[in-house]
């Protein structure tokens, strides 16, 4: 068997990874300047940046333009509960999450037409909700409601069930996709473009058959889980249905 020696970028990434996991560099610490690291490891700047890109993909560090490379704090896990309207963060000794909300009036176009099952040009209200852990972006969600008004709690903290909408909700449709982030999503979440994200598209349908609310959640793949529970019907329940 032929054993291939690790490349320089892999060796550098492994050394820095070890220093992070052993606490030599702690969450929030700024790594030495790239030029200094390249000199230390006796490599070119492109090779050094390639090694740092591996750690960015793993979610260990983040690069902030104009400031440098910083070690991530231990990431709070995000657990999406299937059938609910929001995602819940696993408990942990981390700073409290807070949400920023931006509201926009727009008209249905592109994928929104199918997501909300409305004609092109239908007026919509969009809520862009970005969750932050301390100063770091944690996850984002775009919530869409037909019309120019909506419940005030569209981006509220996680709840155990859907809101009181009239007519009542009767069905929640969900689709889970793994993909690379768009350039805008990568910039907003400050993640590597090569880090996969978990995208959850969800439509809440009311008793009249109309989509009352739709959402697209984007969760970085290095901190996201999706959790679904199915209750199979008995033969008697199927006959009654």
């Amino acid at each position: 068997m032929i054993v291939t020696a690790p490349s320089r970028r892999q060796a550098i990434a492994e050394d820095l990874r070890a220093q992070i996991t052993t606490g030599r560099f702690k969450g929030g610490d700024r790594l030495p300047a790239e030029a200094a690291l390249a000199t230390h490891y006796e490599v070119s700047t492109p090779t050094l940046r390639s090694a740092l890109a591996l750690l960015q993909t793993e979610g260990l560090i983040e690069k902030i333009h104009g400031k440098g490379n910083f070690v991530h704090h231990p990431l709070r896990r995000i657990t999406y509960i299937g059938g609910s309207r929001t995602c819940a963060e696993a408990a942990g000794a981390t700073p409290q999450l807070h949400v920023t909300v931006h509201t926009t009036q727009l008209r249905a176009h592109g994928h929104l037409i199918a997501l909300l099952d409305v004609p092109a040009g239908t007026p919509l209200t969009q809520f862009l909700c970005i969750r932050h852990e301390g100063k770091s972006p944690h996850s984002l969600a775009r919530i869409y409601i037909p019309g120019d008004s909506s419940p005030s709690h569209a981006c509220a903290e996680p709840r155990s069930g859907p809101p009181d909408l009239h007519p009542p909700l009767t069905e929640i449709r969900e689709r889970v996709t793994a993909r690379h982030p768009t350039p805008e999503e990568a910039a907003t979440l400050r993640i590597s473009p090569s880090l996969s994200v978990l995208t959850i598209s969800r439509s809440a349908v009311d008793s009249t058959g109309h989509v009352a609310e739709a959402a697209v959640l984007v969760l970085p793949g290095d901190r996201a889980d999706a959790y679904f529970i199915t209750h199979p019907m008995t033969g008697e329940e199927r006959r009654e249905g």
Side-chain angles (χ1 to χ4, degrees):
M1 181 177 65
I2 299 175
V3 179
T4 303
S7 66
R8 288 297 292 144
R9 76 163 188 158
Q10 291 172 329
I12 294 168
E14 183 176 345
D15 183 62
L16 289 172
R17 188 185 300 112
Q19 294 188 63
I20 292 171
T21 55
T22 58
R24 167 67 178 80
F25 293 118
K26 298 180 174 58
D29 285 354
R30 180 182 182 277
L31 294 181
E34 292 179 356
L37 286 173
T39 299
H40 173 74
Y41 288 111
E42 299 181 341
V43 295
S44 66
T45 299
T47 298
L48 185 279
R49 287 177 176 168
S50 180
L52 294 177
L54 290 176
L55 301 181
Q56 288 176 322
T57 301
E58 296 171 14
L60 289 177
I61 66 173
E62 64 174 323
K63 184 172 185 176
I64 302 177
H65 183 69
K67 295 185 178 180
N69 297 284
F70 292 81
V71 178
H72 264 305
H73 287 282
L75 298 175
R76 181 190 289 248
R77 299 294 299 176
I78 307 170
T79 301
Y80 177 79
I81 307 299
S84 67
R85 294 180 63 253
T86 58
C87 54
E89 289 76 17
T94 55
Q96 181 66 37
L97 295 179
H98 62 280
V99 183
T100 59
V101 182
H102 302 278
T103 305
T104 305
Q105 304 299 326
L106 68 159
R107 293 187 177 274
H109 63 280
H111 74 286
L112 298 179
I113 297 173
L115 182 64
L116 288 128
D117 194 19
V118 295
T122 299
L124 306 174
T125 300
Q126 173 189 269
F127 296 88
L128 173 60
C129 308
I130 304 175
R131 289 184 179 272
H132 298 264
E133 183 176 359
K135 296 182 179 180
S136 297
H138 198 251
S139 62
L140 69 85
R142 294 181 178 89
I143 299 176
Y144 302 94
I145 298 179
D148 57 6
S149 62
S150 61
S152 60
H153 49 240
C155 290
E157 290 301 308
R159 294 174 296 280
S160 58
D164 295 327
L165 295 177
H166 301 284
L169 300 181
T170 58
E171 182 178 85
I172 294 180
R173 304 166 183 167
E174 296 168 293
R175 180 178 180 179
V176 182
T177 306
R179 59 172 175 80
H180 286 133
T182 65
E184 178 187 4
E185 291 166 348
T188 299
L189 294 170
R190 298 215 302 253
I191 59 176
S192 168
S194 61
L195 175 66
S196 295
V197 295
L198 195 66
T199 302
I200 301 173
S201 301
R202 182 183 59 230
S203 299
V205 182
D206 63 27
S207 58
T208 69
H210 295 96
V211 176
E213 175 183 316
V216 178
L217 290 78
V218 180
L219 314 177
D222 59 355
R223 70 199 73 165
D225 303 298
Y227 184 63
F228 298 88
I229 299 177
T230 301
H231 298 281
M233 291 189 298
T234 64
E236 183 176 344
E237 288 172 331
R238 284 193 292 270
R239 287 194 295 272
E240 292 177 351

